[in-house]
Each structure stands twice: as C-alpha cells, then as structure tokens.
C-alpha cells in the first residue's frame, strides 16, 4: 500500500517525511550494531514476503505484513521499512524520492503502534494470543489505510470519496493479513520464539 | 493467480549499467540533485512549469540512454494508477462543470488536478530512473555514506540488498517443496495457513541466517563500521551537471511564481 509520486501536496509529504525521519532516528538509536544483521535480513524477508500474492475468490491480493514486522522489530520497523521501500523504488520504480518518507510513515507507524498494543498479549495463552495476533495484522493494515486516506484528504478535501474507497478496498487485505498474522505468530512462537521482540 | 508469476518481475537493475554521460557522473551529485529536483517538481502547480519539468525529465532520460522497453514497462504500472485517477477524480470533484450528463458531471478542478498528478508523477519517475536507477545499489550506498546519511542506515540498506536475493532463493525452495506436496492455492483456511507457515518459515530462516552472519562478521573483527573503499574521481562533468540542474530548478521556480 503506498501513495504514488506527485499526488500529495507539499505540506503533507513534507510533514510525513519529517515524522518518518524522527521514527527512523528512534529506530536506529534503539538498534545496536549487533542487531543490524538481524534487522537487515528480516527486512529482506519482509521485502520478499510482501511480493507474495494470496488468492481471494477469483482475484488475489498481496500481503502487507507490517503487523508482523512490528512484532518482530519494534521501533526498528521504521528503518527496516524505509530500507525495504527504498529498494522497491530502486528495483521497480513504483515510487520515487518525495513520497518515500510518507510511505514509510504509513507502513511503519501502525507497525509500532500494534507492537505496543498487541505485543504483550501474544505472550498469553493460546486463544488470547491467536486473537491478539489476528487483531495485530488486521489493525496494522487498517491504520495504514486510514493514514493513507487522511494524507489524501489533507491534500484535497475533494478526495474524501477516494479516501473512503481506499479504506474499503483494503478491507479484504485486512482480513487476510489478520488470518496470516494469527497463524504465522502461532508458528513463530512454537518454532523460533526469540524472533518476536518481546520474547527475548 | 499463483505464486509463480511474482518473480517473473525478476529483481534486477536494468538501468544500472551503461556508458552514457549520466552514468559517468559522480553518484553523490546525482543523488543530491535528483532529490532537490524531485521535491521541486512535487511542489509545482502551474502548467507552464509542470510542462517544462516533464520536458526536462524526458531530456534526462534521453541523456541517460535508458532502454525504451524497460522504461515503458515501468511506466505502465504508473499509467494504470493514473487511469484510475482520470476515471474517478473528474467526477468526484466539486466545481464548475465542463460537461454533464444526467447526475454525473465532469468538473474543471477535477480535470486540472488529474492533469497535475499525471505530469508530476511521470516527471519525477523519469528523473529518478535517469539519475538514481542508473547506479547500482552498492554505489548508491557508497554515495549515501559520503553524504553523511547515518552509518547504521546505510549498513542496513546494504545488508538488506545483499540478502534479498538469498532470501528469494530460500523462498523458491520452500515454494517448490510445497508444490511437490500437491498444494494448490485456493480461497480457504488451509491455503491461508500454508501461506502463513511459508512466510513464518521464511522469517525463521532469515533470522537464523542473520545470527550466523552476525557471528561471522564479529569473527572477522567487525567493529560496527562499514568502510567503503574506492573514491569518486573528480571530473569537470560533475560541475556541468550541477550547473545544468541548478539552472533548471531555478527556472522551474521562476516559472511557478511568475
């Protein structure tokens, strides 16, 4: 999910960029040198995994997975997502330079929020953990879609309908991301729990 | 659609190698001016300045001698998005109607806004392809390092870049294993569970690999700094490029204000 180049007004993408820079600075500060390899290689995995398309009826959606990234990396989700988006721009040119900041913010801020909201809950018993991870996947995409819609409305009041459409169109993605996150976190807890940030 | 289709868009850098004038420029100059230029274009609103930016971006793309097929392939994705914009915005904007049929009306502000977005996005992406995509990611990292972007961030970019290809192969192996066992993606819980475990396994393998890489780096005396060897040789071309970019950017600003 991202905003293309040239859509947003100056104040919106500049503010977004500034906030993303703050988030990235916090993330870098919290990430010591021993963890760079871990964050970097998980960012590569996030890059690859977000290219996966999942069938839904006759169509397919691609996963966002920022919820899981939040659970694994905490604040380091900011630099990780910034780097992944930069590489996406370099490889595919879906985006350029000016929207990089706001797109990082749109993906990474919900990841950090969901980390704080649901991180403690996934340590609980099976059922609560499962529900919390579903919520983590669902709400991280929802927050992203709402932020994206907000950025559009701040650019142009007339974009209200479009913003609403964006949020609605992402509803299936929220559900799929929720389901995938729920099973994925359960899997990670069994197989390699130290990968989740709170578990170390 | 199955997963096979994804990596048909192989991850590679089609513009990175070339012999054009742009390719021979100092990457630091390219990064700085591409950034300033992109932000300037994104802030434009008047059509004279916008059209001038579009023309100049085309010139940049020509100077970089980009492969037309690769460029159009990349712009096609943007065109799909722009098509959506042209279908939706002229109808949803409020304002003076240019043409109306029944309850629907095409409004002037809607058309103007769509046109602005179209020109801006194409100009910015063309300039990006011509200046940034014409260097390898490793060179980009070195340039960012010299431009005093925080070392940790550059280091992270390099590691992520290095391991995307490894992780992609890992992914292909897992996907082959799943297919051999007769998995067919459908819209049901079993499919989603399989995807979840596939992605989970990808993360687990990435994490374990990271542990090994980290240990190997420490064994070789890694102290938390990535030294980038090699330098960017000075050349008068860089100053010609700087003068060109600076005058174009000032001209854009003058056109915009006047």
């Amino acid at each position: 999910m991202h905003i293309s180049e040239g859509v947003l007004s100056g104040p919106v993408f500049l503010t977004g960029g500034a906030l993303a820079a703050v988030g990235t600075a916090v993330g870098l500060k919290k990430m010591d040198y021993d963890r760079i390899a871990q964050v970097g290689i998980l960012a590569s995995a996030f890059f690859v995994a977000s290219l996966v398309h999942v069938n839904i009826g006759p169509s397919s959606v691609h996963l966002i997975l920022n919820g899981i990234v939040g659970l694994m990396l905490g604040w380091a989700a900011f630099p990780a997502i910034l780097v992944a988006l930069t590489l996406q721009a370099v490889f595919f040119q879906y985006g350029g330079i000016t929207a990089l900041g706001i797109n990082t913010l749109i993906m990474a801020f919900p990841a950090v929020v969901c980390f704080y909201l649901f991180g403690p809950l996934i340590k609980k018993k099976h059922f609560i953990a499962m529900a919390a991870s579903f919520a983590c996947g669902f709400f991280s995409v929802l927050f992203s879609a709402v932020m994206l819609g907000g950025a559009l409305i701040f650019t142009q009041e007339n974009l209200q309908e479009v913003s609403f459409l964006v949020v609605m169109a992402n509803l299936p993605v929220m559900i799929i991301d929720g389901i995938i996150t729920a099973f994925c976190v359960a899997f990670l807890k069994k197989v390699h729990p130290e990968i989740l940030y709170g578990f170390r | 659609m199955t997963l096979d289709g994804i990596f048909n868009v192989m991850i590679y850098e089609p513009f990175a190698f070339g012999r054009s004038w742009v390719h021979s420029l100092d990457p630091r100059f390219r990064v700085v001016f591409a950034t300033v230029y992109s932000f300037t274009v994104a802030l434009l609103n008047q059509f004279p300045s916008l059209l001038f930016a579009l023309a100049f971006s085309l010139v940049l793309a020509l100077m970089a001698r980009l492969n037309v097929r690769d460029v159009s392939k990349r712009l096609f994705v943007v065109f799909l998005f722009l098509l959506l914009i042209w279908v939706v915005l002229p109808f949803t904007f409020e304002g003076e109607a240019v043409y109306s049929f029944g309850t629907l009306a095409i409004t002037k502000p809607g058309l103007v806004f769509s046109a602005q977005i179209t020109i801006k996005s194409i100009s910015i992406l063309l300039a990006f392809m011509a200046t940034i995509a014409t260097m390898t990611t490793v060179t980009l990292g070195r340039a960012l390092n010299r431009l005093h972007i925080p070392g940790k961030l550059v280091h992270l970019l390099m590691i992520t870049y290095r391991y995307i290809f490894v992780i992609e192969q890992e992914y292909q192996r897992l996907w082959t294993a799943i297919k051999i066992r007769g998995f067919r993606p459908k819209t049901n819980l079993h499919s989603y569970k399989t995807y979840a475990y596939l992605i989970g396994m990808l993360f687990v393998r990435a994490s374990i690999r990271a542990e090994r890489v980290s240990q190997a780096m420490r064994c070789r005396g890694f102290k938390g700094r990535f030294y980038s060897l090699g330098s960017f040789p000075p050349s008068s071309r860089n100053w010609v490029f700087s003068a060109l970019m600076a005058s174009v950017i000032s001209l854009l600003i003058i056109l915009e204000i006047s």
Side-chain angles (χ1 to χ4, degrees):
Chain A
M1 175 176 350
H2 70 266
I3 299 182
S4 291
E5 289 293 318
V7 176
L8 298 178
S9 67
V12 177
F13 72 73
L14 292 175
T15 314
L19 290 174
V22 173
T24 307
V26 175
L28 287 177
K29 201 152 193 294
K30 290 197 169 218
M31 175 181 82
D32 50 19
Y33 273 100
D34 283 347
R35 228 176 120 64
I36 290 186
Q38 187 77 15
V39 175
I41 300 181
L42 285 176
S44 330
F46 164 66
F47 180 101
V48 171
S50 65
L51 294 172
V52 172
H53 279 68
V54 172
N55 282 37
I56 170 161
S59 144
S60 70
V61 294
H62 82 95
L63 301 168
I64 311 240
L65 299 174
N66 53 347
I68 297 185
V69 172
L71 291 179
M72 290 191 301
L73 300 178
W75 274 94
F78 263 99
I81 288 174
L82 171 64
V83 161
L85 290 180
T86 306
L87 289 173
Q88 249 180 31
V90 173
F91 289 145
F92 309 125
Q93 280 99 54
Y94 292 161
I97 304 172
T98 65
L100 191 59
I102 182 109
N103 281 328
T104 303
L105 185 73
I106 284 174
M107 302 265 286
F109 185 67
V112 175
V113 169
C114 285
F115 163 69
Y116 280 115
L117 283 181
F118 304 112
L121 290 176
I122 59 168
K123 282 183 236 166
K124 296 256 160 69
K125 286 261 160 54
H126 187 69
F127 181 73
I128 301 174
M130 201 82 171
S133 1
F134 176 84
C136 177
F138 185 90
F139 284 108
S140 56
V141 179
L142 175 66
F143 292 159
S144 292
V146 168
M147 283 173 74
L148 195 153
L152 292 177
I153 292 178
F154 276 119
T155 293
Q156 246 295 343
E157 283 175 12
N158 278 314
L159 288 173
Q160 264 173 22
E161 282 103 334
V162 179
S163 309
F164 184 71
L165 275 178
V166 166
V167 177
M168 282 299 130
N170 273 298
L171 207 61
V173 186
M174 292 167 208
I175 296 167
I176 304 274
D177 251 61
I179 297 172
I180 300 270
T181 307
F183 285 122
C184 194
V185 169
F187 175 84
L188 292 176
K189 269 174 73 180
K190 264 185 233 154
V191 177
H192 195 64
E194 56 269 39
I195 199 174
L196 298 163
Y197 197 71
F199 278 70
R200 279 175 307 116
Chain B
M1 186 181 146
T2 63
L3 284 161
D4 299 333
I6 306 162
F7 289 104
N8 287 349
V9 244
M10 243 333 260
I11 304 169
Y12 75 126
E13 302 156 291
F15 307 124
F17 304 96
R19 292 168 157 275
S20 78
W21 186 71
V22 177
H23 284 88
S24 69
L25 294 168
D26 187 326
R28 288 171 298 178
F29 285 75
R30 283 192 262 161
V31 170
V32 169
F33 280 108
T35 311
V36 179
Y37 178 74
S38 302
F39 276 98
T40 313
V41 174
L43 290 167
L44 299 177
N45 278 317
Q46 307 297 326
F47 280 100
S49 51
L50 281 170
L51 289 172
F52 182 68
L54 181 60
F56 180 69
S57 293
L58 275 170
V59 171
L60 273 180
L62 285 176
M63 284 202 298
R65 286 198 239 143
L66 302 181
N67 181 315
V68 179
R69 249 199 31 213
D70 282 324
V71 172
S72 23
K73 234 194 282 174
R74 270 130 220 274
L75 283 183
F76 182 71
V77 182
V78 185
F79 280 137
L80 288 182
F81 161 76
L82 291 172
L83 190 71
L84 195 76
I85 295 242
W86 281 96
V87 170
V88 177
L89 292 191
F91 294 99
T92 53
F93 264 55
E94 280 163 23
E96 183 195 336
V98 180
Y99 187 79
S100 61
F101 37 115
T103 49
L104 285 175
I106 296 179
T107 64
K108 199 175 169 209
L111 286 177
V112 169
F113 192 63
S114 307
Q116 283 170 339
I117 291 179
T118 307
I119 300 176
K120 276 190 208 178
S121 56
I122 294 178
S123 313
I124 294 175
L125 287 183
L126 274 178
F128 185 85
M129 282 185 231
T131 51
I132 308 282
T134 44
M135 62 182 95
T136 60
T137 310
V138 177
T139 312
L140 176 66
R142 273 170 56 204
L144 292 176
N145 199 8
R146 294 297 171 78
L147 290 169
H148 301 290
I149 298 292
K152 272 185 193 171
L153 194 60
V154 177
H155 190 165
L156 196 66
L157 180 75
M158 291 296 91
I159 287 208
T160 308
Y161 170 69
R162 164 71 179 77
Y163 282 95
I164 276 181
F165 304 95
V166 178
I167 300 290
E168 195 230 309
Q169 278 174 3
E170 198 90 76
Y171 167 82
Q172 296 290 11
R173 259 202 300 283
L174 288 169
W175 182 238
T176 310
I178 287 178
K179 269 208 305 202
I180 280 176
R181 286 161 180 77
F183 173 69
R184 289 257 209 78
K186 290 195 188 103
T187 309
N188 57 27
L189 207 58
H190 172 71
S191 296
Y192 295 152
K193 222 171 170 171
T194 310
Y195 282 121
Y197 292 168
L198 167 70
I199 288 162
M201 201 60 209
L202 203 62
F203 282 131
V204 169
R205 291 199 180 176
S207 172
I208 292 171
R209 187 181 289 274
E211 200 50 49
R212 284 203 306 274
V213 169
S214 196
Q215 284 165 354
M217 277 160 59
R218 225 170 302 152
C219 279
R220 286 159 182 76
F222 179 66
K223 282 201 297 256
R225 251 204 86 175
F226 239 20
Y227 296 94
S228 75
L229 300 175
S231 56
F232 301 119
S235 152
S236 56
R237 272 177 279 197
N238 297 327
W239 300 109
V240 176
F241 176 70
S242 309
L244 174 71
M245 291 304 284
S247 34
V248 167
I249 290 165
S250 347
L251 233 140
L252 282 175
I253 296 171
I254 293 167
L255 275 174
E256 175 73 14
I257 310 173
S258 62

